[in-house]
Amino acid sequence: MQAQIVNVENLRHEIDSTGWSGHVRLDGQLEKNNTSRILNFSNQLRLQYKREKSVWFLIHDMSFKEINATEIINNSTQHLRYSHELSSRVSYEAFLQSQSDKVSEIKIRALAGTGLRFNLYNAKKYKFFLGVTMMYEYENSVDDIENVQNNIRSSNYVSFKIKPNDNISLVSSNYFQPLIDYISDYRILSETAIMLKIVKNLKFITTLYYIFDSFPVTNVAKEQYKLTSGLVYSFD
C-alpha cells in the first residue's frame, strides 16, 4: 500500500529559517525461517528549500517486499510542491506527483494541481490548516485489461499538528478527493504520525496510513491501512 498522501507538515512547522532542511528515514527487515526468506525495505526522503515567502518541497517514498525471491510489494511516490505566502493567513500552492503501486495495481498515477492553503490557527503548541485545490489526474492501471483514465479531481485537506512539548508531537493530514463530474467517485486519505524525540535530531516515529477508494481497480479492496514504526533523522 502506497498512500497518495504527502505529509509536509513537519517541515512547514519546525523549520522557519532560510535555506535547506529535511529528514531521511530508513526501515529494513531480513527474516528467514523453515519455509520462507523475507526481505523488506523502505525509505523516505523529505527536502525543503525556503527563501523569503516561497518554499519548495521535494518528497520521495519507496517500499519493497520480497518473499522467496518473488516480488510482493513494490511502490513509490515522488512529489514536488511550491508554496508562496500571499498573506499571514493564505498561501498559494502548486504541485506535481508521480506514483506507482503494485498492490493497488497502478502502473502510474500522475498528478498536477494548484490551489490555496488557509492558516486556520497557528500557535506554538497547536496548528490547523485547510487546503482547497484542483488537480488533473492521469492513471494507468492493470485491471482485467490495461485501463487508462484522465480525470479532474478536487483535492481538499485538513492538517494539524499538536506539540505539547519539545519531546512529543502529533501530526495529521486528511484528504477528500472527489471527481468533479461524479462526486460519488472519491478517495479519503489519511496519514497520522506520533513522534518521540530521542536526541536533538533523532526521533522515533509511529505512522498510521488509511485509504478508502469508492471505485478502486477491480480485485483491489476499497479500504486499506498500514501501521509503521521507525527512526527519523532530521537536518537543517
Side-chain angles (χ1 to χ4, degrees):
M1 168 187 157
Q2 181 68 36
Q4 194 179 321
I5 308 163
V6 175
N7 195 340
V8 294
E9 301 310 313
N10 293 330
L11 294 178
R12 291 183 192 273
H13 296 161
E14 296 180 358
I15 304 300
D16 295 321
S17 58
T18 297
W20 291 95
S21 60
H23 75 242
V24 61
R25 173 178 175 177
L26 298 173
D27 297 286
Q29 175 189 359
L30 177 61
E31 177 182 341
K32 190 177 188 306
N33 54 43
N34 291 336
T35 60
S36 302
R37 177 184 177 276
I38 301 171
L39 175 64
N40 196 354
F41 174 79
S42 65
N43 69 58
Q44 293 182 351
L45 175 66
R46 303 286 193 270
L47 289 177
Q48 170 186 294
Y49 179 75
K50 183 173 183 179
R51 183 176 182 182
E52 298 178 347
K53 294 185 177 182
S54 295
V55 186
W56 290 89
F57 300 96
L58 177 62
I59 295 171
H60 168 76
D61 290 346
M62 187 275 286
S63 63
F64 174 85
K65 185 173 184 178
E66 181 183 275
I67 299 179
N68 293 335
T70 300
E71 181 182 277
I72 304 299
I73 298 174
N74 188 355
N75 49 48
S76 67
T77 298
Q78 293 76 38
H79 183 95
L80 178 65
R81 180 174 295 248
Y82 171 75
S83 179
H84 181 78
E85 184 180 299
L86 302 176
S87 71
S88 60
R89 292 289 183 181
V90 183
S91 296
Y92 167 76
E93 294 191 320
F95 63 88
L96 298 171
Q97 181 171 315
S98 174
Q99 175 192 8
S100 62
D101 188 345
K102 185 174 181 179
V103 172
S104 296
E105 300 188 3
I106 296 171
K107 281 187 174 181
I108 180 70
R109 176 183 286 154
L111 310 177
T114 185
L116 296 175
R117 173 183 171 88
F118 300 93
N119 183 344
L120 302 181
Y121 185 79
N122 193 346
K124 183 177 181 180
K125 294 184 178 181
Y126 307 97
K127 302 175 187 290
F128 295 88
F129 298 90
L130 171 68
V132 179
T133 65
M134 297 288 290
M135 68 181 187
Y136 165 75
E137 175 186 71
Y138 169 85
E139 182 176 287
N140 186 340
S141 59
V142 181
D143 209 323
D144 295 329
I145 58 174
E146 187 167 317
N147 183 20
V148 175
Q149 296 186 42
N150 293 274
N151 297 314
I152 302 294
R153 288 186 182 270
S154 173
S155 181
N156 310 298
Y157 66 86
V158 174
S159 66
F160 63 87
K161 181 173 184 177
I162 300 173
K163 189 177 182 180
N165 56 57
D166 291 337
N167 297 319
I168 186 171
S169 60
L170 172 69
V171 183
S172 182
S173 292
N174 306 277
Y175 290 74
F176 177 64
Q177 297 179 334
L179 278 181
I180 293 300
D181 56 351
Y182 187 54
I183 198 170
S184 295
D185 186 335
Y186 64 89
R187 300 191 190 103
I188 296 173
L189 313 164
S190 179
E191 178 186 328
T192 301
I194 298 176
M195 286 167 287
L196 301 175
K197 180 180 176 181
I198 300 174
V199 293
K200 181 181 178 181
N201 291 329
L202 186 65
K203 296 178 180 178
F204 175 81
I205 182 171
T206 296
T207 307
L208 175 65
Y209 303 89
Y210 174 83
I211 301 176
F212 179 87
D213 190 339
S214 62
F215 285 90
V217 178
T218 302
N219 301 322
V220 175
K222 288 187 175 183
E223 190 176 47
Q224 300 180 54
Y225 62 89
K226 179 174 70 171
L227 183 67
T228 66
S229 294
L231 297 175
V232 173
Y233 178 78
S234 301
F235 54 90
D236 52 73

